[in-house]
Amino acid sequence: MLEFTQQIVNGLSLGAIYALIALGYTMVYGIIKLINFAHGDIMMVGAFVGYFSLTLLGTNIMVAMVTAMIACAVLGVIIEKVAYRPLRNSTRIAALITAIGVSLFLEYITIFLLGPSQKVFPESAFPIKAYDLAGLSVLNKDIFVVVSAVVLMLILQYIIKWTKTGKAMRAVSLDQEAAVLMGISVDKTISITFAIGSALAAAAGVMYGVYYSTVNPLMGIIPGLKAFVAAVLGGIGIIPGAMVGGFLMGLLETMVSGYGSSLYRDAVAFGVLILILLIKPTGLFGKDTGEKV
Amino acid sequence: MAGFGVEEKMSIIEINSLDKSFGGLSAVLNVNFFLEQNELVGLIGPNGAGKTTVFNLITGVYKPDQGSIIFNGQNITGMAPHAICARGIARTFQNIRLFNDLSVLDNVKIAAHKNVPYNFFSAIFRTPGFFKGEEIIEKEAMKYLEIFKLDDKKDELAKNMPYGEQRRLEIARAMATKPTMLILDEPAAGMNPQETNELMNLIAQIRREFKLSILLIEHDMSLVMGVCERIYVLDYGQIIAEGKPEDIRRNKRVVEAYLGEEGE
Amino acid sequence: MQILKNKFIRFCADVLILAALFTLVQYFITTGLLNQYYQINLASMCINIILSVSLSLINGFTGQLSLGHAGFMAVGAYASVILTQMLGQPFIAGIFAACLAAGVCGFIIGVPTLRLKGDYLAIATLAFGEIIRVTLQNIDYVNGPAGVLGITKLTTWPWLFAAAVITTLVVVNLINSSYGRAIISVREDEVASELMGINTTKYKVIAFVIGAMFAGLAGAMYAHFFYIIKPETFNFLKSFDILVMVVLGGLGSTSGAIIAAIFITALTAALQSFPAIRMILYALILIIVMIYRPQGLMGNKELSRQTFGRIWSGRKNEHNRN
């Protein structure tokens, strides 16, 4: 039982990271129906910004995280403006291919500039401490990851539920044309969505760096895919779904690594994806809508 | 609700207590009706009355919650659309659904595919049977294009045709599946009076020539009253009246249902 | 009868052109004019043509967005290697096993997933492709993540040429038949197609299985040319690669798929020594093409005799005017 609880503790921080990335996927999908394959790579860029902020500027971890979030918010807005906006009225597949292009671009420009090798996150930025909680070993990095993720999610909930921007985002995702008629600037709203989603991914990137203590240019691919699975699991386009999906994915993965074979860890993510797609493609929180003829 | 003295005639389709609801909202409720062989029947009703839903239920796009559809003595309830088409029901769409990026001829040829005269392997190995079969398909398709006066446009892309011709092509395409019953969803929508008139003559012609039974949704009242032999009126998913055009015109409930809805 | 006769003449012309192309390359290889480097790229080119033409049947003509093509290639590669290396069977048996195994996988995966639409289908196929890869990583019989090394080189130019030509021929013949029109109608409007009597599920599965079989063929060719296969080679990035060829060439254009496969292979070869720059360039081409020509190089048009005829007569007219 204790071991099981320990696994849950371990799974929570991984789940928090997945949830943060999944939020960006789901927000972007909700508003422009695009699977933003570059989202995992934005997380990677965030991790690197965090890394340089810690090593070159010598900031503390909180400042590094905020710097990464700001940088990636800008990056997200630029990507949307340059690559996705011209394609808003073209086919889904064209947009999807562009997203793949952006993803490859981010990965290989990073390799080109910084080299393909991985970099070690400075340990001094976050000295690891272990606490003993009723027999459970809890690391301070776990607490850091979970607490900051939850705080960010609360802020996001506040923005979406209570601010004008959030209302505009919900309106645009429901009906773009009607939103325009109500005087909402669709372009601006989409930009803000990308900014917020990318900032969350950047935060996740820094957390990932703290958690696994290394960063590398291709680090975004696998967590990106898993976060995407999390978003689909919760119901893509649905924000609470992404949070729940993220935590579920994290827990599931630690359980499989803990009790089964870690080699099958990745297969489990995709198995879950297929099961959910075959049983309820709209996800745990989604509603089914039929096609109109 | 069925009229008296019709039972001795053979009906081509019988629809019994059909129900369909979407998310708890009844779209079609206890609908009963029938068509006799070679009959032209109109289905009218205000917007949102459930007419197209009835069409979608008959052609298998939606599965009914309850009730049965008997076509030519066979229960087709809940069958896949292609299986229903194979049994002889073809339709057109309210919002034209052609194969836009394909030529007019290919649109019709696709509908002829269900009777394809050669097998898969002849196609891949290009046996003589394939070339002969393609000739047959082409001739067949051209026959329908000629009837609908589209033969000189056979190589144009469907999406580049004017609206009225797209509507005609949809009927030609439906005919190429060799149906015994044709279901037309607002075939004259968006046409001018002259085009409408021509279309109605065409419909009358194919009905005679191919011994078709036709079920028709149309908003143009004068048109429905003019061509249909019998009319069903649908309102809030239920049939509120049935009869000859002149009876329908005088029916109080029908007039009420339409009041404020349309000027006719 | 006249039509048949014309068709026969054109058929003979095609055979002659292909035979000439084959002999020419074979001549270059035997005389050593085509060195090892060019031969490797020639092989990649043929394999990529098989992959992109077979995926274009699924993505371009049937309109079903599949992101798992590399998975079928992996199945084919491993199936053929098991037969030739572990069971000591001839190459042709390996090839048949590759097509069969990939086709069966295509069927097993296609039946449940092909009822999904658009993005959902794309990610389901991506997931299946990855599951195939992870499964291979966990099979000790084929050395898990390390893969199989030292595969006998059996893939020669005649095999490559035949495989590419057969793939193209089957896809083109299929597409230009009533069955092909049925397949294309699914892409155009699935609901209308179904209502015109086309069993859309059946045709989607047929296209998917045929596409998978040829991906398997490509896998067999790959395995017996490059000496080594490992699961990582066939990850989803490989599927993206194939998808990119199809989309760059133009969805619904076989000739486009072939041209794009040749172009991408050549680009990869030219920038081999600068892998990062190659990928950056590749990414930029993708983005720029999608923004300025989202329908791809050829759109849904084909390069055909008529096209050449038009260019030819156009030139002549220009000459006459001058």
Side-chain angles (χ1 to χ4, degrees), chain C residues 48-166:
Chain C
N48 281 340
I49 287 174
I50 301 170
L51 289 169
S52 106
V53 168
S54 59
L55 187 66
S56 92
L57 177 64
I58 302 171
N59 282 9
F61 291 107
T62 324
Q64 305 302 308
L65 188 47
S66 165
L67 293 179
H69 218 49
F72 300 124
M73 187 187 176
V75 171
Y78 274 87
S80 66
V81 164
I82 288 172
L83 245 75
T84 61
Q85 308 300 304
M86 289 151 179
L87 305 176
Q89 299 298 311
F91 192 29
I92 185 79
I95 290 174
F96 274 113
C99 295
L100 188 70
V104 169
C105 283
F107 184 78
I108 294 170
I109 294 171
V111 168
T113 50
L114 282 167
R115 53 197 182 87
L116 298 168
K117 302 219 180 327
D119 297 344
Y120 287 113
L121 175 65
I123 51 186
T125 48
L126 186 148
F128 266 117
E130 287 296 282
I131 285 179
I132 289 176
R133 180 178 64 82
V134 178
T135 310
L136 289 172
Q137 276 176 349
N138 286 286
I139 299 177
D140 292 332
Y141 183 59
V142 289
N143 292 339
V148 185
L149 284 101
I151 302 163
T152 332
K153 186 172 172 181
L154 297 169
T155 305
T156 52
W157 166 242
W159 281 114
L160 286 167
F161 184 79
V165 168
I166 289 171

Side-chain angles (χ1 to χ4, degrees), chain C residues 32-307:
Chain C
L33 277 168
L34 223 54
N35 64 23
Q36 194 63 30
Y37 171 76
Y38 285 110
Q39 284 186 33
I40 288 173
N41 287 315
L42 187 69
S44 306
M45 210 170 262
C46 291
I47 291 165
N48 281 340
I49 287 174
I50 301 170
L51 289 169
S52 106
V53 168
S54 59
L55 187 66
S56 92
L57 177 64
I58 302 171
N59 282 9
F61 291 107
T62 324
Q64 305 302 308
L65 188 47
S66 165
L67 293 179
H69 218 49
F72 300 124
M73 187 187 176
V75 171
Y78 274 87
S80 66
V81 164
I82 288 172
L83 245 75
T84 61
Q85 308 300 304
M86 289 151 179
L87 305 176
Q89 299 298 311
F91 192 29
I92 185 79
I95 290 174
F96 274 113
C99 295
L100 188 70
V104 169
C105 283
F107 184 78
I108 294 170
I109 294 171
V111 168
T113 50
L114 282 167
R115 53 197 182 87
L116 298 168
K117 302 219 180 327
D119 297 344
Y120 287 113
L121 175 65
I123 51 186
T125 48
L126 186 148
F128 266 117
E130 287 296 282
I131 285 179
I132 289 176
R133 180 178 64 82
V134 178
T135 310
L136 289 172
Q137 276 176 349
N138 286 286
I139 299 177
D140 292 332
Y141 183 59
V142 289
N143 292 339
V148 185
L149 284 101
I151 302 163
T152 332
K153 186 172 172 181
L154 297 169
T155 305
T156 52
W157 166 242
W159 281 114
L160 286 167
F161 184 79
V165 168
I166 289 171
T167 308
T168 312
L169 220 57
V170 169
V171 171
V172 169
N173 282 355
L174 174 62
I175 285 309
N176 292 306
S177 75
S178 193
Y179 296 91
R181 286 191 293 268
I183 282 173
I184 294 172
S185 76
V186 176
R187 171 190 79 195
E188 290 292 306
D189 187 331
E190 198 173 329
V191 174
S193 169
E194 179 80 26
L195 285 160
M196 292 305 126
I198 311 280
N199 185 344
T200 51
T201 315
K202 181 174 122 191
Y203 284 105
K204 282 195 279 187
V205 172
I206 286 178
F208 199 72
V209 168
I210 293 177
M213 284 171 75
F214 284 118
L217 173 66
M221 292 292 146
Y222 178 92
H224 293 84
F225 191 90
F226 291 101
Y227 308 105
I228 171 173
I229 47 168
K230 46 182 180 180
E232 201 44 46
T233 313
F234 308 102
N235 63 10
F236 70 99
L237 292 171
K238 179 69 194 166
S239 296
F240 283 0
D241 261 357
I242 310 168
L243 177 73
V244 164
M245 292 178 212
V246 175
V247 176
L248 280 187
L251 285 168
S253 169
T254 320
S255 35
I258 295 174
I259 295 168
I262 294 173
F263 171 73
I264 297 269
T265 319
L267 182 78
T268 312
L271 294 171
Q272 211 157 29
S273 0
F274 317 100
I277 295 183
R278 172 175 79 88
M279 291 307 286
I280 293 169
L281 207 63
Y282 186 70
L284 286 177
I285 291 175
L286 273 190
I287 298 168
I288 291 166
V289 170
M290 283 306 107
I291 291 175
Y292 293 103
R293 202 173 161 76
Q295 73 275 41
L297 179 69
M298 300 287 295
N300 58 2
K301 307 273 185 314
E302 292 291 352
L303 209 57
S304 63
R305 287 184 203 80
Q306 281 91 332
T307 330

